Each structure stands twice: as C-alpha cells, then as structure tokens.
C-alpha cells in the first residue's frame, strides 16, 4: 500500500500496525499495550508525535496506563519515552518483589485472563523455589488464558486451566481443591479503590469473598484514572462468528470489582488497602490527578452515537487528525448521528463542527445540544 522507501511512512505503518494489533488483542494486557504504544512512538519524528498520540490514546478506551503515559509524553516531549519504558520495567520488578510474600509452598492460586504482572510474580515465585499450583481461566471469548497457560507451563509452574464458568465453583467452599488466594491484574484503578479488569473478575471476586478467600490486585498506580470510563464493548463476532442474525450479543471487555471485594493492592509502593489508593496516587503521581482528564471524551470501540449528559456545553475529543477546520474520519465515524443531534452545528466537509478548537492532541468539537442518552460516546463537561 505504501512505498517503503520513505522513513516517515514506514514509521507511520509501524504505528498503524501497533494500533491494529492492540485493537485485535494481538497485543493485550494493560502493561503490554502501554509498552507497545510507547515503543511505536519512539519511531515517530518529533513533528508528528502529537498526531501519533492522538491516534493511540483512544485505541482501547479502558486503558489509563497507556493514556497516562501518553499524557506524560505529550507534556514532557519524546525524551521521556525511553525513561517511561524503563520505569514500567522497574515498576513491575517492585510489584513482583512486594507480591512474593503472598505465595507460599503449597499455595493454590486462581488467576484470570492474562496479566503480565501476575505472570511475572508467579515466575519469580517459581524461581525462588516455591512449589505452588495455579488455576487459570481460559477467558472467553478471546482465550487470553492460553497466553497465561503457555507462559506458566514454560516456566515449569504446575498449571490447570478451567473454563470461566468453573471459576466460582472452584473458589467456593464446596470444592475440595481449596484455592488460597486470587491474584488479578487491573486495567483501570479508581479513586474509590475499585478497578476494572477482564470481564469475569467481578464474579470471581464475589465468589472469593463469599468463601473468605483474599483477592489481591497487582497493579501499578499509573493505571489510576480520574475519568469516568465506559467499559469497552467488543464485537459480537468474538463470541459467535455465525450467530443468528436476530440474536443480540453483549460482549463487554471488562467488569468492575468494587472496593469491598478487594483485599489489597500490590503496587510499586507496597501493599495498599483499596481505600488508600487515591492518597498514594496523590502523593506519588500528583500529575495524574492534576491533568483534568475528566474533560476528555473518549470514543468507545464502535465510535457510534453519543452518551448523554445534561450539559448544554460539552466537549468532544476525537482521535481524528485535524487539518484547519476539518475532522478526518478516524475519530468520529457516525457523522450522520452527529449531524442529526446537533441542530446548530456547521457542516464542514460534510462533518459537523462548532467552535473548533485545537489543542496539541485533543480535538474539541463544541456542541450546543443536549445529547441522547441511549447512544455511546463518553462525554465530559467542557468548562
Ligand atoms: C487483560 C486484563 C489484564 C490487565 C492487567 O485484558 O484484563 O488483567 O490488563 O494486565 P485484555 P497487566 O486481554 O482484554 O487486554 O498486568 O499485564 O498490565
């Protein structure tokens, strides 16, 4: 498609490939996504960095680690990228060190999906000579549990796969296997101490609480988000390729583990009670709280429609590339809906724009209409 003799084009292809791989889940897990995003940015020339950030920032809307890293690159420039990649590695080492005391000889552990952080802890426990057993869910629909299975068996860890539907029974008191602890990663960490993680995490945590089994969340607090995040809904085809036409499929990527189901966080700052998360973030990563992310709107994976807010003025940030007053097509696909909802919008190049304003990586469309709650954009107030 592109001539390969242009270095810039090659680099944009690398970025496009990274974005495609993140979308398809070939690259998955919050940490891997953030690292891959940063790695792709390394290749981008300075003059195109903000456009690249715009393209990356909303690729998976439930990934504040990637977004926080991109925010830093945006604020401090390209020189911070290598530091961040190294820092993510150091953070993982700290989390592993802090998590080790939770694993004993003979421990029976349940994990879900594929969290590189959990896998790294288990690898280290094995290296230290501990003998323990891991149950892991296959993780429908995309089977990320197989990645966990491959990595754990390669490390020589005694591993057993279960279907997702078996997980609650496995942790219940009814089952003779007696799971000792649940170890999960996180995609997003919130100020009330709750998290988003792979769908299924909520059910496992509920069952664990009922059976009085601890649930530990292994996560860097760089996953903290002050924004409201709408859980990404993925394609029906991931669940059933040739589904009956009239069948509706609901396929959320993540669910929420409420604070009361979390025993503790294992972080780069040690073991933290969920209620303390916000104060630890405030002390160590104040910029995450100060960035006012809540003004940023995120487009869900399907990019169609609008999520309502009573605000008469709100802003829309798209990952679209802007040239003068045109929004190109990458961020806002459902222009018909936008046009329909915004009586006073001005259509520029068949795309409606009011009060177009550019900031380096956020594109704001100022709309003056109330929006329809049934639809799907996350909209935050523009102050
Ligand atoms: C992966 C998932 C992982 C977290 C944490 O979901 O939920 O538990 O991302 O991963 P998906 P890590 O496969 O949909 O990306 O500990 O590697 O950051």
């Amino acid at each position: 498609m592109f001539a390969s003799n242009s270095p810039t084009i090659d680099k944009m292809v690398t970025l496009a490939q990274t974005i495609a791989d993140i979308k398809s889940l070939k690259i998955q897990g919050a940490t891997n996504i953030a690292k891959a995003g940063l790695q792709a940015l390394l290749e981008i020339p300075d003059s195109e960095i903000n456009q690249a950030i715009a393209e990356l920032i909303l690729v998976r809307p439930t990934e504040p680690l990637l977004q926080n890293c991109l925010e830093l690159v945006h604020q401090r420039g390209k020189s911070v990228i290598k530091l961040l990649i190294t820092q993510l590695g150091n953070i993982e080492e700290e989390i592993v060190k802090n998590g080790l005391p939770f694993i004993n000889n003979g421990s029976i552990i349940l994990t879900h999906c594929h969290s590189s952080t959990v896998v790294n802890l288990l690898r280290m426990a094995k290296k230290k000579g501990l003998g323990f057993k891991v149950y892991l869910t296959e993780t429908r629909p995309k089977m990320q549990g197989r990645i966990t299975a491959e990595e754990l068996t390669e490390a020589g860890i005694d591993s057993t796969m279960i279907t997702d539907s078996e997980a609650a029974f496995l942790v219940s008191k009814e089952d003779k296997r007696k799971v000792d602890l649940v170890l999960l990663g996180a995609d997003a960490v919130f100020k009330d101490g709750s998290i988003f993680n792979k769908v299924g995490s909520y059910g496992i945590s509920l069952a664990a609480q009922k059976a009085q089994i601890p649930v530990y969340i292994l996560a860097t607090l760089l996953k903290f988000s002050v924004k409201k995040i709408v859980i990404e809904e993925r394609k029906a085809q991931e669940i059933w390729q040739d589904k009956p036409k009239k069948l509706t499929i609901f396929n959320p990527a993540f669910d929420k583990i409420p604070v009361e189901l979390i025993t503790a966080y294992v972080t780069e700052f040690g073991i933290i009670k969920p209620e303390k998360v916000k104060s630890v973030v405030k002390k160590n990563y104040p910029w995450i709280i100060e960035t006012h992310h809540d003004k940023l709107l995120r487009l869900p994976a399907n990019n169609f429609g609008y999520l309502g807010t009573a605000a008469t003025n709100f802003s829309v940030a798209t990952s679209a590339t802007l040239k003068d007053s045109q929004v190109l097509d990458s961020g806002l696909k459902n222009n018909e809906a936008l046009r329909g909802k915004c009586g006073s919008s001005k259509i520029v190049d068949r795309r409606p724009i009011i009060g177009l304003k550019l900031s380096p990586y956020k594109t704001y469309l100022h709309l003056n209409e109330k929006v329809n709650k049934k639809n799907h954009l996350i909209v935050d107030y523009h102050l």
Side-chain angles (χ1 to χ4, degrees):
M1 185 177 167
F2 297 108
S4 61
N5 55 359
S6 155
T8 304
I9 286 176
D10 275 350
K11 280 158 192 169
M12 293 315 266
V13 171
T14 308
L15 178 72
Q17 188 58 52
T18 302
I19 289 173
D21 289 347
I22 293 174
K23 278 189 179 155
S24 71
L25 298 190
K26 195 167 165 193
I27 299 172
Q28 62 71 239
T31 309
N32 289 338
I33 290 169
K35 283 181 183 165
L38 289 169
Q39 205 71 46
L41 278 190
L42 268 181
E43 302 293 320
I44 304 293
D46 282 348
S47 59
E48 287 159 41
I49 201 84
N50 285 330
Q51 182 191 326
I53 290 175
E55 284 170 29
L56 267 171
I57 200 157
L58 300 169
V59 170
R60 281 198 82 189
T62 323
E63 298 298 356
L65 177 59
L66 171 68
Q67 290 153 11
N68 287 332
C69 288
L70 294 177
E71 181 70 44
L72 268 190
V73 178
H74 165 61
Q75 283 177 12
R76 303 195 189 162
K78 249 188 96 175
S79 58
V80 89
I81 297 176
K82 280 194 177 145
L83 277 173
L84 267 172
I85 294 174
T86 312
Q87 185 63 6
L88 288 178
N90 295 341
I91 283 173
E92 266 188 339
E93 280 177 23
E94 282 302 304
I95 296 176
V96 163
K97 199 174 83 197
N98 295 333
L100 264 180
F102 291 109
I103 303 179
N104 298 311
N105 260 322
S107 288
I108 301 185
I109 299 159
L110 172 66
T111 190
H112 180 50
C113 194
H114 174 257
S115 154
S116 61
T117 324
V118 171
V119 168
N120 284 338
L121 169 60
L122 297 171
R123 279 187 183 129
M124 182 54 81
K126 177 74 187 174
K127 253 196 198 156
K128 297 270 176 201
L130 295 169
F132 55 94
K133 185 173 177 68
V134 179
Y135 285 91
L136 55 108
T137 56
E138 61 181 354
T139 316
R140 284 271 297 150
K142 293 290 278 182
M143 305 296 186
Q144 291 93 320
R146 291 183 187 171
I147 309 172
T148 307
E150 279 165 8
E151 293 181 353
L152 295 187
T153 49
E154 254 166 48
I157 294 167
D158 180 354
S159 312
T160 304
M161 182 177 274
I162 57 168
T163 64
D164 301 0
S165 358
E166 287 171 68
F169 178 64
L170 186 85
V171 293
S172 76
K173 290 215 160 105
E174 297 300 316
D175 189 77
K176 63 177 188 316
R177 273 155 283 257
K178 305 270 176 279
V179 168
D180 295 303
L181 67 160
V182 176
L183 296 180
L184 298 172
D187 288 275
V189 175
F190 299 102
K191 63 176 185 222
D192 67 349
S194 63
I195 64 154
F196 283 172
N197 193 48
K198 176 53 58 190
V199 66
S201 300
Y202 175 50
I204 291 173
S205 309
L206 265 179
Q209 190 195 45
K210 173 108 178 128
Q212 294 170 319
I213 293 170
V215 175
Y216 297 110
I217 305 300
L218 276 66
T220 164
L221 293 186
L222 284 173
K223 291 177 178 177
F224 192 80
S225 176
V226 291
K227 296 175 208 166
K228 256 199 235 155
I229 300 180
V230 167
I231 289 175
E232 172 190 345
E233 262 184 62
R234 298 185 59 87
K235 289 193 185 112
Q237 283 68 24
E238 285 187 352
I239 290 189
W240 192 352
Q241 189 74 40
D242 303 313
K243 72 174 185 71
K245 276 207 175 70
K246 290 195 172 159
L247 179 72
T248 305
I249 285 182
F250 175 46
N251 182 18
F254 305 102
D255 62 20
K256 173 178 170 171
I257 309 185
V259 56
E260 63 274 14
L261 300 184
I262 297 172
T263 309
Y265 282 84
V266 182
T267 75
E268 62 272 45
F269 305 110
I271 311 305
I272 294 174
K273 281 282 167 203
E275 310 78 56
K276 295 272 182 241
V277 157
K278 189 180 170 198
S279 58
V280 179
V281 172
K282 212 170 169 180
K283 184 165 167 226
N284 296 285
Y285 299 134
W287 54 272
I288 296 184
I289 292 175
E290 285 155 13
T291 313
H292 301 304
H293 281 283
D294 51 330
K295 290 187 195 167
L296 178 65
L297 170 140
R298 291 143 189 272
L299 300 171
N302 61 15
N303 278 352
F304 290 103
Y306 300 87
L307 181 78
T309 147
T312 50
N313 267 310
F314 56 90
S315 65
V316 179
T318 81
S319 57
T321 306
L322 273 191
K323 275 187 196 145
D324 304 327
S325 56
Q326 295 177 13
V327 177
L328 302 180
D329 213 16
S330 65
L332 285 172
K333 292 224 168 84
N334 195 356
N335 294 311
E336 297 308 313
L338 197 112
R339 193 188 308 167
K341 296 281 174 265
C342 306
S344 55
S345 65
K346 188 173 138 207
I347 313 291
V348 179
D349 189 28
R350 293 188 59 250
R351 292 173 180 97
I353 295 168
I354 299 176
L356 185 71
K357 211 178 172 186
L358 260 182
S359 79
Y361 74 92
K362 295 170 195 164
T363 303
Y364 294 109
L365 300 173
H366 293 221
L367 309 176
N368 299 316
E369 290 277 298
K370 284 190 181 179
V371 280
N372 183 348
K373 278 206 168 163
K374 285 187 199 131
N375 297 322
H376 270 119
L377 286 189
I378 303 171
V379 181
D380 288 305
Y381 304 106
H382 180 74
L383 303 174

